[in-house]
Amino acid sequence: MSATSSVTSDRPVHAPVNSQIDHDPMHGVEVRPGPIEQFTYDDAVVRKFTFAILLWGVVAMLVGLLVALQLVLPVAAETVIGGVRPFAWMGTTFAFLYETEWLSFGRLRPLHTNAAIFAFGGNAIFAAVYYSTQRLCKARMWSDTLSNLHFWGWQAIIVAAALTLPLGFTQGKEYAELEWPIDLAIAVVWVGFFGVNFMMTLLTRRERHMYVALWFYIATIATVAVLHVFNSLAIPAGALKSYSVYAGVQDAMVQWWYGHNAVAFFLTTPFLGLMYYFLPKAAERPVYSYRLSIVHFWSLVFIYIWAGPHHLHYTALPQWASTLGMLFSLMLWMPSWGGMINGLLTLRGAWNKVAADPVLKFFVVGITFYGMATFEGPMLSIKSINALSHYTDWTIAHVHGGALGWNGFMTFGMLYWLAPRLFQSRTGGLWSKRMAESHFWIGTIGILLYIVPIYWAGITQGLMWRAFDESGALRFPDFVETVMKVMPMYWLRVIGGSMFLLGMILCAVNIMMTWTLRPSRYTEHVQSAPALGPVYRDPPTPGSRLHANTEFGHKGDVFLQGRWHRTWERLPVKFTVWVVIAVVVASALELVPMVVAPMFSTTWREKNIPRIASVQPYTPLELAGRDVYVAEGCYNCHSQMVRPIWAETKRYGDYSKPGEFAYDHPFQWGSRRIGPDLARIGGLRSYQWHVEHLEDPRMVPGSIMPAYKHLSTQKLDYNAIQRRVNAMAMMGVPYGDAVKGSNAATMAREQSESIAAEVATQGGPTGLEDTKMTALVAYLQRLGTDLHAPPPADAGAGK
Amino acid sequence: MSRNKAADPLLNHEYDGIREYDNPTPGWWHVLFLLSIVFSFFYFLYYEVNPESATNESTLLAARVAETKRIFGAVGELSPDEATIQAMRGNAQFLEVAAGIFIGNCAQCHGRDGTGGTGTNLTDDEYKNVNRLEDIYSVITRGAGGQAMPAWDNRLSQNERVILAAYVANLRGSATGGKGPEGKAIAPWPPIPAPEKN
């Protein structure tokens, strides 16, 4: 078929096909080239990943739209325009969005983030890796079985996530919410199926040197494995319940080491690999600078891993760690921009093609958003800027610029380039190029309509939270005022997000219609290339270019010429080991003093996380309440961290101390304040207030919080409480006699009854004994109160 | 960047048709990268090695001291007795400060206008734990009714609690309606003193 051959021969016209390259100083000698071998590429698995991108892309963005609507609808119903409430119908029509247990914002928001990152983004990465690796290695994936296990395993994990998260099974750590059995499955699929398959393909390749895209894939696979394993370490306390082995400050440190590097090694490095393959292919232009690739790759890998603590500025994290996080983020600016420069400058001389080709348009805007996000990231990690931006929508705008602009658009560009080739389109092209053009414009405007208002909202919130009047009082002491102020911005986000979703749907339609243009049977083009021989002689190392200098200078100059790197590029194992060393050494320099040393040394513990004698473990009932807090995803809207900033202590009370979180497995500091901070909420409201507020948050006018009526009817499982207390005790939480027999269960029952009685006495609802409501309220009433409590005479359980 | 692309040295290797130029990394890129490293080195030295540098806590403390001095500098520490609270009831400047404290901390339960909610109505003549002006201060300080009314001694300074007591006393009779009476009616407060000059 002539159309087929036209799309499969992607070789740029100017690329030499000769093999007379021995004279090139960058090339060594194949001493004994292997025999010519014939092979085919496995495009079937890439097609599967492509379908998965479309499906999960639509799902992730639909859930995103849903949670965006949940933030505006409650107040919309109350909005008065010209004396009437035109949107009152929304309040009743959409009441189920606030009252249905498994539809609440706190449970769906993790579903949205996980689906966007790991389902949409993940499948995009896999499609890119499986398509390009085979061609860059001149080898079929090592094992079709592993490829398929990887594909189906990953989809099963996504389905498990989509079921468990709305049901409230979560570890309560952002972007790492999935419970321990799913975490184990992720480790097996990622390392055992994907990692092994990829590395074995590298080892059986027929291309001597690894192209830069492969370096980024190596960094992705190795680092994500390390991050996932160490962040997910947990003690199971049931089939779908576990507690992080780290507590408080240490858990926060590990979580944001993971969280930030999920951005780095899940959303950045694989997409840079994608860029390095698909951009020059689509533009038919050589990559701008090989040397820049080397420098920015290694600087990115080594520096990124340190930057995590910038998510914890002004928190109870020791200041030195926060400072390191800020500084390494600043140093990350240029390594990140190296990728942008190499991408954009590759298009020199091809800008006329950009005007005509939607694929290149997506890539140009995607790379531009990458540049913007990687400038903004270092800027936001400057402490004084972070003091304003943290916990506000500014962060949300930042990540959506990155996710929609960079990850989304790079994926779309790749999809439009791949589809005609993967599906061997009869027309040789997409079903509709015009539709792809429309998608580009709708998507671009959608992103802007999303992020610009949300930047505005974020800065507005930040400024309102810190505004004082003449008398020295907060100008907006009611938190809810600062929420209502940004409602118009939230509506614009709904519009922008809808447009982006519409674009995604157009993309899905276009790709599926292109699929209908496939031939009755896909042609598997037979490739041929010589196997790699056992012996390869590197070109001679160049001499120093310097004349009058020390020996050290000469050595340095030889190093800077980078020929050694050319050698590394043909040694995948060595290359991988060095990537792992870079990542692990950098991680260890932060994590050992912060997380490991304090476990074994009192000196290190007192230095970083000084104990506070009055801070005691939660009572069994409070622990159960904490589990409810985690399961409902309260941390998605409420922080538990009063920063040592005047406006903040004025609003919330004394700033949080590291020792206050000694028994918090996992930490619940949060990253966003859609509602007020709760670190010092304990004792501030009556039991009755909490119960009535949780049952109907609309008692606070303007509140957009979901209702938690179900907690007043759902019964506590006291046996589970005993198991959970025992699991905590295993990690060294001093529960004393509570772990014996069913002591914890008895203590929990007694406390639940006493709280139910207290609520009834204060005039609240009756009959709350043994309900999850009493547990959650018990937990809330405990929050932040230990700091000023008298130290206990004995070290029993609870206070 | 503006270099004639014909002069770009093309490396003689290709991967699946992809070629690479041997262009040098841009000079400004090197300069900014090095500057960020040098800046970071000295920043770390200054803030993390130098014992004299400001910390988050010292900055907060300085802000607190400055603000306390700005608001209460002229009066020093207010004692929580009847005479002081009574005097504060006529001090417009401090009452304004107290109003901010009330909105920020008390309005959630007692209502922005003091007519009550989950908390008692502060505008009527009935009180549960108060007979004299300084009792208002005690209830604010130590709380009441189990945990229903929290203790504020960890959150508000003594001066803030004194002027808040004056503000709460003035709420009495300032509005009608709201939550029904709780506790018993008590004798009226002394008249609000004439405004002091600030």
Side-chain angles (χ1 to χ4, degrees):
Chain A
M1 218 179 309
S2 61
T4 311
S5 59
S6 76
V7 291
T8 46
S9 65
D10 305 318
R11 193 174 296 272
V13 282
H14 56 271
V17 194
N18 65 30
S19 55
Q20 302 297 313
I21 47 179
D22 307 14
H23 60 276
D24 182 351
M26 292 296 279
H27 266 268
V29 182
E30 294 286 355
V31 178
R32 271 185 286 144
I36 299 282
E37 293 175 336
Q38 298 205 317
F39 54 94
T40 56
Y41 296 136
D42 176 12
D43 284 346
V45 72
V46 186
R47 284 188 282 268
K48 285 183 195 148
F49 280 119
T50 302
F51 295 132
I53 299 172
L54 301 177
L55 171 67
W56 298 124
V58 171
V59 169
M61 291 168 204
L62 259 181
V63 180
L65 181 60
L66 182 61
V67 294
L69 280 168
Q70 287 181 321
L71 294 180
V72 290
L73 289 178
V75 203
E78 306 298 323
T79 308
V80 178
I81 298 176
V84 292
R85 295 194 304 159
F87 307 117
W89 58 275
M90 288 184 177
T92 45
T93 310
F94 297 111
F96 71 98
L97 284 180
Y98 313 99
E99 291 164 4
T100 312
E101 181 188 349
W102 51 274
L103 276 183
S104 71
F105 182 90
R107 294 192 184 184
L108 290 191
R109 190 260 191 177
L111 183 63
H112 164 60
T113 53
N114 279 278
I117 299 170
F118 300 111
F120 174 69
N123 281 302
I125 293 168
F126 303 142
V129 170
Y130 276 79
Y131 186 85
S132 60
T133 300
Q134 299 187 75
R135 283 152 176 90
L136 293 170
C137 289
K138 290 201 177 114
R140 191 183 178 89
M141 290 309 292
W142 181 64
S143 158
D144 284 5
T145 310
L146 283 183
S147 300
N148 281 300
L149 280 173
H150 174 195
F151 175 79
W152 289 109
W154 196 257
Q155 311 315 316
I157 287 166
I158 296 168
V159 171
L163 292 175
T164 55
L165 291 175
L167 291 176
F169 298 108
T170 169
Q171 289 184 324
K173 292 169 76 162
E174 281 182 90
Y175 324 120
E177 285 93 347
L178 301 176
E179 265 300 350
W180 65 273
I182 307 176
D183 273 346
L184 287 177
I186 292 171
V188 169
V189 171
W190 186 271
V191 179
F193 302 162
F194 181 35
V196 168
N197 202 11
F198 176 81
M199 281 311 291
M200 290 310 293
T201 307
L202 289 187
L203 293 177
T204 51
R205 72 195 186 284
R206 297 184 183 85
E207 182 76 72
R208 180 60 72 177
H209 292 90
M210 296 184 297
Y211 175 58
V212 51
L214 296 176
W215 316 344
F216 279 104
Y217 298 157
I218 289 173
T220 301
I221 294 171
T223 313
V224 168
V226 174
L227 294 167
H228 172 71
V229 167
F230 283 96
N231 187 45
S232 301
L233 290 177
I235 301 286
L240 281 172
K241 176 69 196 171
S242 61
Y243 293 114
S244 170
V245 297
Y246 317 102
V249 175
Q250 293 162 311
D251 196 39
M253 178 76 192
V254 175
Q255 158 63 21
W256 284 111
W257 165 77
Y258 161 86
H260 189 72
N261 289 301
V263 176
F265 292 92
F266 207 92
L267 298 176
T268 303
T269 54
F271 283 86
L272 283 169
L274 182 161
M275 177 192 85
Y276 272 114
Y277 181 80
F278 291 95
L279 178 71
K281 291 294 275 188
E284 300 183 330
R285 293 281 310 156
V287 169
Y288 171 69
S289 169
Y290 163 71
R291 276 187 262 172
L292 181 56
S293 302
I294 298 175
V295 183
H296 100 94
F297 171 79
W298 286 102
S299 52
L300 202 71
V301 165
F302 184 74
I303 294 177
Y304 232 126
I305 204 89
W306 296 73
H310 70 216
H311 291 259
L312 299 167
H313 283 335
Y314 296 100
T315 67
L317 187 77
Q319 191 178 300
W320 64 264
S322 152
T323 301
L324 282 182
M326 163 180 153
L327 296 175
F328 276 85
S329 305
L330 290 179
M331 288 189 266
L332 198 51
W333 177 24
M334 280 303 117
S336 303
W337 270 24
M340 175 190 70
I341 295 166
N342 235 355
L344 290 181
L345 292 189
T346 294
L347 290 169
R348 288 173 322 154
W351 286 97
N352 54 325
K353 290 183 187 168
V354 175
D357 184 0
V359 170
L360 288 179
K361 282 200 187 75
F362 276 108
F363 284 156
V364 167
V365 171
I367 295 167
T368 308
F369 269 107
Y370 177 64
M372 280 169 50
T374 53
F375 169 75
E376 191 188 13
M379 184 180 79
L380 285 176
S381 59
I382 296 171
K383 289 184 186 179
S384 49
I385 295 177
N386 194 272
L388 177 73
S389 75
H390 197 39
Y391 299 122
T392 74
D393 276 318
W394 193 339
T395 314
I396 314 300
H398 170 61
V399 300
H400 282 85
L404 306 182
W406 162 243
N407 302 114
F409 269 33
M410 296 307 285
T411 302
F412 298 142
M414 175 186 76
L415 284 173
Y416 288 129
W417 186 86
L418 269 181
R421 291 165 174 82
L422 278 179
F423 300 128
Q424 301 176 1
S425 157
R426 281 198 297 272
T427 64
L430 281 172
W431 178 67
S432 168
K433 193 176 158 189
R434 274 188 62 190
M435 199 183 224
E437 285 276 344
S438 308
H439 175 195
F440 170 77
W441 289 109
I442 293 170
T444 305
I445 297 169
I447 297 174
L448 293 176
L449 262 182
Y450 184 116
I451 62 173
V452 173
I454 296 303
Y455 278 119
W456 191 275
I459 294 171
T460 304
Q461 289 164 336
L463 293 174
M464 286 178 88
W465 293 347
R466 55 163 64 173
F468 287 99
D469 64 17
E470 277 298 291
S471 71
L474 291 168
R475 267 188 69 198
F476 306 101
D478 260 0
F479 188 89
V480 76
E481 272 186 278
T482 70
V483 179
M484 289 164 74
K485 179 81 178 174
V486 298
M487 279 301 137
M489 303 297 141
Y490 280 11
W491 272 112
L492 287 173
R493 158 166 66 189
V494 169
I495 296 168
S498 304
M499 289 180 71
F500 198 83
L501 170 64
L502 173 65
M504 178 74 232
I505 292 169
L506 291 181
C507 176
V509 169
N510 206 352
I511 303 290
M512 293 313 290
M513 292 310 288
T514 306
W515 172 69
T516 63
L517 299 176
R518 72 192 182 283
S520 56
R521 211 185 145 76
Y522 290 116
T523 317
E524 280 209 312
H525 295 277
V526 178
Q527 317 284 332
S528 65
L532 292 186
V535 186
Y536 177 83
R537 200 179 318 126
D538 283 314
T541 304
S544 166
R545 296 163 299 186
L546 306 174
H547 299 295
N549 213 311
T550 61
E551 192 182 349
F552 179 76
H554 289 299
K555 278 186 176 161
D557 185 63
V558 171
F559 174 82
L560 285 179
Q561 291 180 57
R563 193 61 49 80
W564 53 275
H565 197 270
R566 191 70 190 151
T567 307
W568 283 22
E569 289 165 26
R570 62 175 182 79
L571 301 168
V573 174
K574 183 176 188 175
F575 198 99
T576 307
V577 167
W578 276 106
V579 167
V580 172
I581 289 175
V583 163
V584 168
V585 166
S587 301
L589 288 172
E590 276 183 352
L591 294 182
V592 166
M594 194 61 244
V595 179
V596 182
M599 291 181 183
F600 302 103
S601 146
T602 317
T603 318
W604 279 94
R605 193 189 72 208
E606 286 308 305
K607 185 174 151 60
N608 285 315
I609 317 154
R611 278 277 155 95
I612 300 171
S614 59
V615 173
Q616 289 296 304
Y618 297 106
T619 66
L621 185 71
E622 288 160 1
L623 182 66
R626 194 167 200 276
D627 291 341
V628 173
Y629 186 97
V630 169
E632 295 296 349
C634 303
Y635 64 92
N636 287 291
C637 295
H638 295 282
S639 56
Q640 288 186 17
M641 175 52 57
V642 183
R643 297 176 293 175
I645 296 172
W646 177 235
E648 197 124 312
T649 55
K650 191 89 177 160
R651 185 181 293 276
Y652 299 118
D654 203 355
Y655 68 92
S656 301
K657 315 287 187 293
E660 288 187 80
F661 307 96
Y663 305 120
D664 284 12
H665 298 266
F667 82 115
Q668 289 288 287
W669 296 357
S671 63
R672 175 75 184 90
R673 286 179 185 151
I674 299 174
D677 186 271
L678 299 179
R680 299 261 176 252
I681 194 68
L684 263 196
R685 308 267 186 274
S686 64
Y687 285 95
Q688 178 203 355
W689 186 92
H690 277 298
V691 171
E692 290 177 354
H693 176 251
L694 285 164
E695 288 188 347
D696 179 19
R698 232 60 73 225
M699 73 185 250
V700 177
S703 168
I704 56 174
M705 181 167 139
Y708 292 93
K709 287 195 188 79
H710 59 273
L711 297 181
S712 293
T713 49
Q714 290 178 355
K715 294 291 178 188
L716 288 164
D717 175 354
Y718 288 112
N719 292 329
I721 293 177
Q722 185 69 53
R723 278 200 304 276
R724 292 172 182 200
V725 166
N726 294 353
M728 282 288 186
M730 262 179 72
M731 291 186 286
V733 179
Y735 266 110
D737 288 345
V739 296
K740 290 188 187 148
S742 58
N743 279 359
T746 310
M747 291 162 72
R749 183 175 284 117
E750 284 167 4
Q751 196 184 358
S752 176
E753 283 163 5
S754 103
I755 287 174
E758 177 80 21
V759 173
T761 314
Q762 290 173 354
T766 56
L768 289 178
E769 298 80 10
D770 306 330
T771 60
K772 288 186 179 174
M773 182 63 85
T774 56
L776 180 57
V777 173
Y779 171 63
L780 291 173
Q781 291 290 42
R782 177 73 182 276
L783 275 178
T785 56
D786 279 14
L787 184 61
H788 295 293
D794 62 327
K799 55 174 185 173
Chain B
M1 268 184 279
S2 55
R3 185 181 311 123
N4 176 5
K5 65 180 193 291
D8 283 346
L10 194 60
L11 286 169
N12 208 356
H13 53 239
E14 56 103 1
Y15 306 92
D16 194 30
I18 300 173
R19 307 275 311 265
E20 293 176 288
Y21 286 121
D22 193 26
N23 283 320
T25 44
W28 61 269
W29 186 93
H30 281 289
V31 170
L32 283 177
F33 191 27
L34 283 176
L35 275 180
S36 71
I37 294 170
V38 171
F39 170 82
S40 298
F41 178 76
F42 286 104
Y43 183 101
F44 193 85
L45 276 192
Y46 182 79
Y47 279 103
E48 301 305 328
V49 180
N50 160 23
E52 305 290 312
S53 66
T55 63
N56 293 339
E57 288 74 16
S58 70
T59 311
L60 172 69
L61 188 66
R64 179 176 292 158
V65 168
E67 186 63 7
T68 308
K69 199 172 163 193
R70 188 175 77 84
I71 305 280
F72 294 109
V75 294
E77 187 162 72
L78 300 169
S79 57
D81 54 33
E82 180 142 16
T84 314
I85 295 172
Q86 174 64 12
M88 286 299 130
R89 292 181 67 209
N91 187 315
Q93 184 199 336
F94 285 143
L95 286 173
E96 198 189 324
V97 175
I101 299 171
F102 185 86
I103 298 293
N105 300 289
C106 319
Q108 195 88 42
C109 292
H110 293 285
R112 287 181 82 96
D113 58 357
T115 52
T118 40
T120 54
N121 188 337
L122 301 173
T123 62
D124 60 14
D125 289 327
E126 287 78 16
Y127 290 81
K128 281 161 97 174
N129 301 295
V130 170
N131 287 305
R132 299 178 308 154
L133 281 177
E134 59 257 51
D135 295 340
I136 303 177
Y137 174 86
S138 310
V139 170
I140 293 170
T141 303
R142 286 188 280 281
Q147 279 202 36
M149 166 74 190
W152 293 88
D153 55 343
N154 290 323
R155 293 172 183 263
L156 302 174
S157 68
Q158 176 167 313
N159 279 10
E160 288 174 318
R161 281 174 274 142
V162 169
I163 61 174
L164 182 60
Y167 179 86
V168 169
N170 285 3
L171 282 176
R172 186 175 178 182
S174 67
T176 53
K179 202 177 184 189
E182 292 170 275
K184 57 185 190 308
I186 60 169
W189 302 133
I192 295 176
E196 280 177 29
K197 278 211 181 109
N198 289 334

